Amino acid sequence: MRKQDLRIVFMGTPEFAVETLQALVDNGYNVVAVVTQPDKPVGRHGSILQPSAVKQYATEHGLPVLQPEKMKDPDFIEQLRSYHANLQVVVAFRMLPEVVWAMPEYGTFNVHAALLPQYRGAAPINWAVINGETVTGVTTFFLDHDIDTGRIIMKKSFDIPDDADVEYVYNGLMHLGSQLCLETLDAIVAADGHPQTVDQDSVLDGFAIKPAPKIFKETCEIDWTKTAKQVYDFIRGLSPYPGAWTRLVTADGKETVLKIFKARKTNRPAQSVGTIIIDGKQLFVSAGDCLLELLELQLAGKKRMAVRDFLNGIKNISRVR
């Protein structure tokens, strides 16, 4: 088989997916159509429709774009079928019904931002950092009935430095994912559409699976009873978006939401959990075992700022909870 023999439908929405789509186009693969989310209302009154990053790229490069509201819509299914794709590639999209993922002759594979079978779910990058992992990666696998459980085609590892936040890992996996997608396509071409795969259960080796569920606002609240290392990993695992947050309590008992984007571990002994210590232009909070130094913050309704600027503008803070 030649790469030109593959008729590929690409499915994705955010910036993370654009690099892979661009890699397919730049390397001569035949992308016959792109499927992405419907335009999103933005602006003060929601009167402006914002296309996804994938749609913007596809439109600029003359690729047909499909934007179904529902993946089982009969009109969409017929339209998708009309492109006669024999392979579909999915990157950071949504759940697909069997009528969609089983449509192509050679199936549908996903580029997942984790080393499956670990971190199945919607937020694998965040949870890998939150859990203090030192290595993550990307995996390509064929879709089947259950989420992120299909047969693995290829993997690539990516080191997570101790001071890395989600943005760093996101960018690294975005680049790595595009490379792995190309290697996977090359393997599919070389194997006439049927590359060697590995069942996920065979690589578990008795280890428990760590999930990566969707993150909500409530997920992002800091638990100061945990160790400083756990809180540190939690903060960088949600930075810069959506941001770990806590409740800042003033001396008169008032509360306001405080987001924390950057912190530093220390060896200074703990005080009562949540206690704030101000030492010159440094701000510390007591976690469960020692103090954590806060470096970049954002009060509700304010801009993100360094702690020095934060301390210049706020007085009489006593604790967090």
Side-chain angles (χ1 to χ4, degrees):
M1 180 192 296
R2 304 169 305 163
K3 66 167 60 177
Q4 295 88 346
D5 295 329
L6 284 179
R7 293 179 58 82
I8 298 171
V9 166
F10 182 88
M11 300 184 181
T13 295
E15 177 194 13
F16 189 91
V18 172
E19 183 146 340
T20 301
L21 175 58
Q22 181 176 345
L24 302 190
V25 173
D26 290 348
N27 283 272
Y29 278 98
N30 183 20
V31 179
V32 296
V34 170
V35 182
T36 190
Q37 295 277 39
D39 295 356
K40 184 178 180 180
V42 296
R44 186 172 182 180
H45 303 291
S47 58
I48 301 172
L49 292 178
Q50 177 69 44
S52 72
V54 163
K55 180 181 178 179
Q56 291 179 53
Y57 176 88
T59 302
E60 290 167 1
H61 291 79
L63 301 174
V65 176
L66 308 180
Q67 295 179 274
E69 292 282 351
K70 297 180 179 179
M71 298 301 292
K72 291 184 179 181
D73 180 86
D75 290 338
F76 164 69
I77 298 299
E78 287 307 309
Q79 194 174 9
L80 183 63
R81 188 173 282 119
S82 71
Y83 286 98
H84 303 291
N86 48 17
L87 181 71
Q88 292 175 156
V89 177
V90 180
V91 183
F93 193 46
R94 57 197 285 190
M95 286 184 61
L96 302 181
E98 183 174 2
V99 67
V100 172
W101 59 256
M103 187 182 297
E105 175 186 3
Y106 302 131
T108 299
F109 77 80
N110 182 282
V111 180
H112 186 73
L115 296 175
L116 292 173
Q118 297 298 347
Y119 297 107
R120 295 168 176 165
I125 304 176
N126 299 93
W127 286 108
V129 180
I130 288 170
N131 289 339
E133 303 287 1
T134 58
V135 177
T136 184
V138 287
T139 304
T140 52
F141 70 98
F142 283 114
L143 269 61
D144 64 11
H145 292 91
D146 297 317
I147 298 175
D148 299 336
T149 60
R151 295 184 66 83
I152 292 170
I153 311 168
M154 289 184 173
K155 292 184 183 182
K156 275 185 178 290
S157 297
F158 181 83
D159 291 336
I160 305 177
D162 183 63
D163 60 349
D165 60 16
V166 159
E167 185 172 41
Y168 173 90
V169 182
Y170 178 100
N171 289 335
L173 295 185
M174 180 171 63
H175 301 318
L176 194 63
S178 67
Q179 296 170 21
L180 186 63
C181 183
L182 289 176
E183 292 180 19
T184 300
L185 287 169
D186 290 345
I188 289 172
V189 169
D192 290 328
H194 303 285
Q196 289 187 344
T197 59
V198 176
D199 185 89
Q200 290 195 32
D201 290 339
S202 69
V203 296
L204 273 175
D205 294 329
F207 291 102
I209 293 178
K210 300 174 184 178
K214 187 175 180 178
I215 288 176
F216 299 94
K217 180 181 178 181
E218 296 76 15
T219 312
C220 302
E221 184 174 8
I222 297 170
D223 179 358
W224 293 101
T225 66
K226 293 189 174 182
T227 68
K229 172 64 164 64
Q230 288 173 317
V231 176
Y232 170 77
D233 290 338
F234 188 79
I235 290 169
R236 65 194 184 98
L238 296 167
S239 179
Y241 181 83
W245 62 274
T246 189
R247 292 181 174 88
L248 182 67
V249 184
T250 61
D252 58 3
K254 294 181 180 179
E255 293 186 6
T256 185
V257 170
L258 178 71
K259 282 190 175 183
I260 303 173
F261 296 98
K262 193 172 182 180
R264 180 186 293 132
K265 293 174 290 182
T266 79
N267 294 319
R268 296 177 62 166
Q271 298 189 21
S272 176
V273 169
T275 299
I276 289 176
I277 298 96
I278 299 175
D279 185 357
K281 292 298 182 181
Q282 292 178 289
L283 176 62
F284 302 87
V285 176
S286 184
D289 62 342
C290 61
L291 301 186
L292 190 71
E293 184 181 1
L294 308 188
L295 302 175
E296 293 185 19
L297 315 168
Q298 182 180 15
L299 279 171
K302 303 293 184 180
K303 293 181 179 180
R304 177 174 171 173
M305 64 185 73
V307 72
R308 178 184 295 270
D309 298 323
F310 172 80
L311 291 174
N312 286 337
I314 193 165
K315 307 295 180 184
N316 301 320
I317 50 176
S318 63
R319 61 188 303 272
V320 295
R321 72 170 189 85

